[in-house]
Amino acid sequence: MNSNITKFFFTWMFLFTTTGFVWAQEGSKPNIIFIVADDLGYSDLGCYGGEVKTPNLDKMANEGIRLSNMHNASMCVLSRSSILSGKWWNVAGQGIARGNNIAQELQKVGYRTGIIGKWHLKGEPNDKGFDYFFGFLSGLSNYYKGSNDYRLNKIPYTDFGKDYYSTDEFSKRAVEFIDPSKNDKKPFFLYLSYQCPHNPLQAPKEDIMKYRGTYLKGWQAIRDARIKNQIKFGIVKPGDPLPAYPQNLPDWETLTPAQKDLEDLRMSVYAAMVDKMDQGIGKLMKALETNGQKDNTFIIFLSDNGTDPFSSGDAGGLKKGLLPGDDGSNFQPGIGWGYATVTPWRLYKISQHQGGVTTGSIVSYPKLIKNPGVVRKEFLHVVDIMPTVLDLAMPVSMAKQKAQITTSLSGESFTPLLKGESWMRKSPMYFQFVDNRAIRTNQYSLVEVDGSGWELYDIKKDPMETNDLSKKLPNVVSNLEENWFTWWKSESKTGVYAPEKAGSGGHYSPQGDRGTGNQYIPSAMPAALSNKYKKIIN
């Protein structure tokens, strides 16, 4: 062979196997979708034990994997700060006051970025790395009529027709955003940030009536049925001790018929909201398949915290003649349904116990997932999502740039889990909001609710946090407490810990289930409104 031809051949082969390989990776960057539900309970989805109709998310779980020990930060804005920044909320600052978010980093490597739904962070999305924004800036909005902080990019949006329902609109716009015929050929990052099922509890009447009467059996019966399903699915291990009934929750059978009626309606609206979200996600999944995008799209679904246990809007709504589901009302789930929806855990939103910080997460990525349908129980936190995505999105040629980003992150990439490989968290998970806090290792959780002192649990033997070992293992408490304080001082840049009391601001109240929480008193259905959502039995 001519020496020049030989030289050319080997040079070409070298380029093909090095830069050529990199080009192949560059061209196959995955599309990325974060789907975040708002205040969704751990067990609400069918694939996590619930009776709510969620066939599309159940299918995603069966074709993907369930990450049954994914943790959040217990409260909307804190969790969303960590989801998008890959950092503990007190590092990024509440609302990501400091540093870049994942959209800004993905923009740099050629992604088209969009957010649809709830923002609830500092500034405006279009100034924070998002090319496209449709939704609202604050923490909640009317599902039917929107609010004055709705934006289409930076332009105020007021086009709410008589059939507007925000969950449906967010789903529709998500389908449009991923449509390759309407957009450039860049890979995309979509943050589909539903408000559902955050208050106000509102849904179209026909969807509510699908569930009306389902919940008259009561919250304990619903919880028991969900636990049975979770055992069947391998989410809960048979024989694991279950939490005791909350001291601040009345037994269902002590309620009057009017109280049971309103509670049934409350949960029927909640279920309808989750059902509507699942329908929209089904349309998005179908569009991905039709577009030929499904195999190369990484999707993670999760909730930003546990269920809202409060019910502060009841009195005002009933006084105005409004019920759960109605336009203008602002009902919340309350402790009763909070207890059922966080099954099998203890406590709820704002708490750092497992019911407040554990989310039923699902990952879909057909291109990489090797063992679809499995449940992975490794301890994860939402700070781990960004380093995982950077692993998938940044090619070998950008290893140095990726390293510069990931060294500043709080999380750890869990890419091996997608491949069916072993993986274990190297560092503890840390939590804090108002006078609730926690640290979790692979063996212990040290937790405090309502500023009432540390509780210690061996979560290998007692994952549902039922048997407090703090008095029996004071050295473990001391070591973990020192670890937590070191983290708090370092990341918060403060030498003191002086938390706000949960009941001091009026928005939240103590919720402890062992004597510190406020007693739940269910509202009753007014006789004058009892026919408004009455179920007709043939």
Side-chain angles (χ1 to χ4, degrees), residues 321-392:
L322 298 172
L323 291 175
D326 289 352
D327 180 12
S329 68
N330 189 17
F331 287 85
Q332 298 160 272
I335 291 178
W337 296 120
Y339 170 67
T341 56
V342 301
T343 304
W345 312 113
R346 282 180 57 206
L347 300 179
Y348 332 94
K349 177 179 179 176
I350 84 163
S351 167
Q352 310 303 307
H353 283 71
Q354 295 281 33
V357 298
T358 316
T359 173
S361 183
I362 304 169
V363 169
S364 172
Y365 189 22
K367 182 177 178 179
L368 194 62
I369 289 175
K370 302 302 181 186
N371 300 310
V374 301
V375 176
R376 297 298 299 250
K377 295 186 176 183
E378 289 85 350
F379 294 114
L380 294 159
H381 193 282
V382 295
V383 295
D384 301 326
I385 297 172
M386 182 167 171
T388 303
V389 166
L390 294 178
D391 253 1
L392 302 174

Side-chain angles (χ1 to χ4, degrees), residues 239-478:
D240 278 344
L242 300 174
Y245 194 82
Q247 293 179 12
N248 55 336
L249 178 63
D251 184 274
W252 181 261
E253 293 310 317
T254 67
L255 272 57
T256 67
Q259 286 176 312
K260 290 180 179 179
D261 190 25
L262 187 61
E263 287 296 321
D264 173 72
L265 175 59
R266 188 193 303 270
M267 188 58 190
S268 296
V269 179
Y270 180 100
M273 295 167 76
V274 176
D275 189 324
K276 291 286 275 183
M277 177 179 66
D278 181 80
Q279 291 175 43
I281 292 170
K283 293 174 183 176
L284 178 63
M285 296 303 293
K286 184 177 180 180
L288 287 170
E289 198 160 356
T290 301
N291 299 343
Q293 299 165 316
K294 182 178 176 181
D295 285 353
N296 195 39
T297 299
F298 171 87
I299 304 172
I300 185 162
F301 172 90
L302 67 157
S303 177
D304 61 1
N305 47 252
T307 312
D308 179 356
F310 305 111
S311 53
S312 58
D314 283 24
L318 294 174
K319 187 176 180 179
K320 295 177 183 177
L322 298 172
L323 291 175
D326 289 352
D327 180 12
S329 68
N330 189 17
F331 287 85
Q332 298 160 272
I335 291 178
W337 296 120
Y339 170 67
T341 56
V342 301
T343 304
W345 312 113
R346 282 180 57 206
L347 300 179
Y348 332 94
K349 177 179 179 176
I350 84 163
S351 167
Q352 310 303 307
H353 283 71
Q354 295 281 33
V357 298
T358 316
T359 173
S361 183
I362 304 169
V363 169
S364 172
Y365 189 22
K367 182 177 178 179
L368 194 62
I369 289 175
K370 302 302 181 186
N371 300 310
V374 301
V375 176
R376 297 298 299 250
K377 295 186 176 183
E378 289 85 350
F379 294 114
L380 294 159
H381 193 282
V382 295
V383 295
D384 301 326
I385 297 172
M386 182 167 171
T388 303
V389 166
L390 294 178
D391 253 1
L392 302 174
M394 298 185 76
V396 173
S397 62
M398 305 190 75
K400 186 176 180 180
Q401 182 178 338
K402 182 176 75 172
Q404 289 174 339
I405 301 169
T406 54
T407 52
S408 70
L409 302 183
S410 306
E412 305 170 22
S413 171
F414 57 84
T415 306
L417 290 181
L418 307 180
K419 302 175 183 178
E421 299 169 0
S422 60
W423 182 90
M424 182 176 286
R425 165 169 291 285
K426 297 183 182 71
S427 58
M429 298 183 291
Y430 301 94
F431 307 85
Q432 189 277 333
F433 181 60
V434 291
D435 52 358
N436 303 318
R437 54 181 174 157
I439 176 174
R440 285 184 175 80
T441 68
N442 288 311
Q443 175 152 9
Y444 291 108
S445 65
L446 186 69
V447 200
E448 181 178 41
V449 62
D450 300 333
S452 58
W454 288 118
E455 301 168 16
L456 177 69
Y457 301 97
D458 183 338
I459 49 180
K460 284 190 174 180
K461 299 175 181 177
D462 181 24
M464 270 70 89
E465 300 173 334
T466 67
N467 182 27
D468 181 7
L469 302 174
S470 59
K471 299 292 190 291
K472 294 181 179 179
L473 300 173
N475 289 339
V476 175
V477 172
S478 178

Side-chain angles (χ1 to χ4, degrees), residues 38-102:
D38 201 347
D39 292 4
L40 183 77
Y42 181 86
S43 64
D44 286 327
L45 307 183
C47 58
Y48 272 91
E51 70 295 324
V52 182
K53 304 302 181 188
T54 56
N56 298 296
L57 283 164
D58 298 347
K59 181 181 179 184
M60 187 190 297
N62 290 331
E63 294 178 350
I65 57 177
R66 275 167 280 186
L67 305 175
S68 65
N69 267 313
M70 175 66 77
H71 291 76
N72 53 56
S74 87
M75 189 267 188
C76 311
V77 65
L78 306 187
S79 292
R80 290 162 189 265
S81 297
S82 289
I83 289 168
L84 292 185
S85 73
K87 300 176 183 178
W88 305 120
W89 74 263
N90 53 353
V91 178
Q94 185 168 311
I96 314 184
R98 298 178 289 275
N100 282 356
N101 67 55
I102 193 167

Side-chain angles (χ1 to χ4, degrees), residues 44-224:
D44 286 327
L45 307 183
C47 58
Y48 272 91
E51 70 295 324
V52 182
K53 304 302 181 188
T54 56
N56 298 296
L57 283 164
D58 298 347
K59 181 181 179 184
M60 187 190 297
N62 290 331
E63 294 178 350
I65 57 177
R66 275 167 280 186
L67 305 175
S68 65
N69 267 313
M70 175 66 77
H71 291 76
N72 53 56
S74 87
M75 189 267 188
C76 311
V77 65
L78 306 187
S79 292
R80 290 162 189 265
S81 297
S82 289
I83 289 168
L84 292 185
S85 73
K87 300 176 183 178
W88 305 120
W89 74 263
N90 53 353
V91 178
Q94 185 168 311
I96 314 184
R98 298 178 289 275
N100 282 356
N101 67 55
I102 193 167
Q104 290 166 311
E105 299 298 348
L106 290 176
Q107 264 189 341
K108 294 176 186 177
V109 294
Y111 275 77
R112 179 170 59 88
T113 59
I115 168 177
I116 296 169
K118 170 176 170 174
W119 176 235
H120 204 196
L121 299 171
K122 298 287 186 183
E124 295 201 20
N126 297 114
D127 297 326
K128 298 280 189 171
F130 288 95
D131 302 313
Y132 174 81
F133 171 46
F134 175 80
F136 56 97
L137 297 171
S138 60
L140 77 163
S141 181
N142 185 304
Y143 283 79
Y144 304 118
K145 293 181 178 177
S147 50
N148 60 12
D149 63 343
Y150 255 78
R151 300 286 184 272
L152 176 54
N153 295 317
K154 283 196 164 187
I155 301 170
Y157 182 88
T158 58
D159 189 17
F160 307 107
K162 65 180 181 64
D163 296 323
Y164 185 85
Y165 186 67
S166 61
T167 302
D168 291 343
E169 185 68 17
F170 296 160
S171 301
K172 179 176 77 72
R173 287 180 180 265
V175 171
E176 292 172 353
F177 181 82
I178 68 165
D179 186 345
S181 70
K182 297 180 180 178
N183 298 292
D184 56 42
K185 302 304 179 185
K186 291 181 178 180
F188 62 78
F189 167 55
L190 171 62
Y191 175 34
L192 179 51
S193 176
Y194 285 107
Q195 183 182 350
C196 166
H198 192 290
N199 65 296
L201 296 183
Q202 295 172 344
K205 185 172 182 178
E206 61 270 22
D207 295 280
I208 297 169
M209 299 311 292
K210 286 167 58 176
Y211 292 94
R212 193 73 162 106
T214 300
Y215 298 100
L216 287 173
K217 62 189 74 171
W219 36 68
Q220 185 64 60
I222 293 296
R223 186 175 171 103
D224 290 345

